[in-house]
Amino acid sequence: MSLDKNSKIYVAGHHGLVGSAIWNNLLQRGYTNLVGRSHKELDLTDQVAVKQFFDDERPDAVVLAAAFVGGIMANSLYRADFIMMNMKIQCNVISEAYAHGVKKLLFLGSTCIYPKNAPQPMKEDCLLTSPLEYTNEEYAIAKIAGLKMCESYNLQYGTNYIAVMPTNLYGPNDNFHLENSHVMPAMMRKIYLAKLIHDGDWEKIAIDLDKRPVEGVDGYGLSRALDNRKRALEVLAKYGIYDNKVVLWGTGTPLREFLWSEDMADASVHILLNVDFKDVIGIEKYSSVHYGASTDGAVDRNHSAGRGGAIPSLGEIRNCHINVGTGKELTIRELSQLVVKAVGFEGTVEFDTSKPDGTMRKLIDVSKLHSLGWTHKVEIEDGVQKLFEWYKDSLA
């Protein structure tokens, strides 16, 4: 089901890390009829508002990149929010996309959907085979529900909704707020601030804290008032940031895979434009089961052969999502060394082993993605340097 250059594409979460990169990737490919709404303009947890948006805009395709996200600390503190907010967003957008005849929908999840002790590298088929990692269980369950919604709508109604599960992402427009950011941007900012404290560069510390305040502490008066500096140091110390020293959570031994966000965007757009549900499940006759009754290719909304998730002639269909990553990994300690090099930090990095590591290994199998015609381009060594350059530019 093809989209032409005039197709109206709604990118939900277009100001975020992935959404902004997808937006730019589509523009670069000549898809200029794009629709986006900021959170202030459209609250995706508000069912009535989402319906009104779809009534007004009638998009041909939807990229669902909006989510309520955070790292280990945020996942632990806001468990109810993580499951409820994400479920509301997904239910509202997917149901209204269906109700308004959207041709194609791309849902972005996360590889945290996989079991804590899943065989490595993790294939799509290991979903729901054993317990999840406790620290992000609610977010994972929400994302599993989202991919199952896509799968089930396809099976019941013949829609063309594809779910992609990216590995850990990093890149331009990343979240560097210490209270709810992911491992790499948090680590990078901590190391950068520890360097600035050691250098006595309070002007740059003030700029940094003005841009992204920490627990209400901003850059006001830091370059002059000693009391303000003392307060800032006390708050930063709570996040493991000291004079020429940074303390990170865990042992440093967990292995992680990272994907440059612009690579993720390129993979997403490749799938949006070139991959249909029948391609993912590898069954050509699926299209004749669901689309054959219509001469114009429109979805037959009354077709019930797939009702209940089973099309007898096709057998059981599940795990139709697509892993998106590099298939490569490194330890958190090795990542810290790359960040130290990029920042030019000459202090020490310590690990607080009393804090949780999270999942010890999270490498995904990307053979399905490769078979669909896409591989990554940016390697981690170059990506870390590029991220730090972007972060410095964001403070200018």
Side-chain angles (χ1 to χ4, degrees):
M1 189 175 292
S2 61
L3 297 170
D4 60 38
K5 297 291 174 69
N6 295 316
S7 297
K8 181 182 280 191
I9 303 174
Y10 167 45
V11 181
H14 74 297
H15 286 321
L17 173 65
V18 184
S20 62
I22 289 174
W23 182 283
N24 292 332
N25 190 284
L26 284 164
L27 288 177
Q28 290 162 12
R29 292 175 185 245
Y31 291 81
T32 56
N33 191 8
L34 306 181
V35 181
R37 293 288 187 276
S38 69
H39 177 66
K40 287 183 179 179
E41 294 170 320
L42 175 61
D43 179 0
L44 293 177
T45 67
D46 182 336
Q47 187 177 11
V48 173
V50 174
K51 180 183 184 300
Q52 185 63 55
F53 167 78
F54 275 87
D55 286 346
D56 294 342
E57 293 294 342
R58 301 275 170 177
D60 298 303
V62 170
V63 176
L64 181 42
F68 187 77
V69 300
I72 289 178
M73 184 183 293
N75 274 273
S76 299
L77 292 173
Y78 310 116
R79 297 181 76 89
D81 290 345
F82 271 88
I83 191 164
M84 184 59 77
M85 299 286 279
N86 285 296
M87 288 294 293
K88 283 183 176 180
I89 291 168
Q90 294 160 194
C91 288
N92 290 341
V93 174
I94 293 172
S95 63
E96 291 304 328
Y98 171 69
H100 290 81
V102 165
K103 295 178 186 176
K104 192 82 177 277
L105 182 142
L106 187 74
F107 171 75
L108 280 82
S110 164
T111 52
C112 72
I113 63 168
Y114 292 120
K116 179 175 182 177
N117 297 315
Q120 305 286 322
M122 300 180 290
K123 292 180 178 289
E124 287 86 354
D125 287 343
C126 73
L127 181 67
L128 297 175
T129 56
S130 61
L132 299 163
E133 161 60 40
Y134 180 75
T135 56
N136 61 9
E137 192 174 40
E138 280 69 23
Y139 183 73
I141 288 172
K143 289 300 178 182
I144 291 169
L147 75 87
K148 284 293 183 183
M149 275 187 246
C150 292
E151 190 176 282
S152 300
Y153 267 82
N154 293 341
L155 293 172
Q156 182 168 341
Y157 296 118
T159 50
N160 202 10
Y161 301 168
I162 311 292
V164 292
M165 299 298 126
T167 188
N168 301 294
L169 299 173
Y170 69 106
N173 296 311
D174 216 331
N175 174 15
F176 284 82
H177 288 276
L178 295 179
E179 290 154 285
N180 61 359
S181 59
H182 285 125
V183 60
M184 191 189 301
M187 180 188 295
M188 186 170 284
R189 189 179 180 197
K190 287 176 182 180
I191 290 172
Y192 177 60
L193 284 169
K195 180 181 186 297
L196 294 182
I197 292 170
H198 182 68
D199 294 343
D201 197 336
W202 284 97
E203 185 175 339
K204 286 186 178 177
I205 294 171
I207 292 171
D208 183 284
L209 291 176
D210 260 340
K211 181 80 174 181
R212 300 172 181 89
V214 181
E215 292 188 13
V217 175
D218 57 25
Y220 178 74
L222 281 187
S223 59
R224 296 176 298 278
L226 291 177
D227 284 349
N228 289 345
R229 292 187 194 180
K230 183 180 179 183
R231 167 68 177 144
L233 290 174
E234 288 173 351
V235 170
L236 292 177
K238 290 171 61 176
Y239 294 88
I241 304 165
Y242 304 92
D243 180 346
N244 224 29
K245 185 179 82 170
V246 170
V247 179
L248 303 175
W249 279 30
T251 62
T253 58
L255 287 155
R256 289 291 181 272
E257 174 184 14
F258 293 94
L259 179 67
W260 183 245
S261 61
E262 292 172 336
D263 269 357
M264 173 58 200
D266 194 61
S268 298
V269 175
H270 172 82
I271 291 166
L272 179 70
L273 300 179
N274 301 300
V275 178
D276 290 327
F277 184 61
K278 64 181 174 59
D279 304 318
V280 177
I281 62 177
I283 300 175
E284 285 298 325
K285 63 182 177 180
Y286 174 83
S287 58
S288 67
V289 172
H290 272 310
Y291 300 111
S294 173
T295 56
D296 63 0
V299 175
D300 177 1
R301 305 227 175 262
N302 297 314
H303 187 72
S304 60
R307 203 169 292 280
I311 302 174
S313 63
L314 302 184
E316 291 186 354
I317 295 175
R318 56 164 59 93
N319 302 331
C320 305
H321 55 287
I322 305 166
N323 288 340
V324 181
T326 64
K328 301 179 180 182
E329 61 189 343
L330 77 168
T331 66
I332 296 297
R333 187 179 295 276
E334 288 169 334
L335 174 64
S336 73
Q337 292 165 352
L338 291 178
V339 174
V340 162
K341 181 180 177 183
V343 174
F345 182 61
E346 296 179 352
T348 59
V349 175
E350 298 177 3
F351 287 87
D352 182 353
T353 58
S354 69
K355 295 294 193 295
D357 272 326
T359 307
M360 291 307 294
R361 193 180 182 207
K362 260 181 64 174
L363 180 66
I364 54 173
D365 184 302
V366 289
S367 54
K368 183 189 286 190
L369 177 67
H370 290 174
S371 74
L372 295 168
W374 190 90
T375 56
H376 77 283
K377 300 173 184 66
V378 178
E379 300 295 350
I380 186 70
E381 295 81 5
D382 297 327
V384 169
Q385 186 64 52
K386 288 174 69 168
L387 181 63
F388 183 58
E389 294 303 322
W390 180 87
Y391 183 66
K392 286 195 297 183
D393 289 345
S394 77
L395 299 172

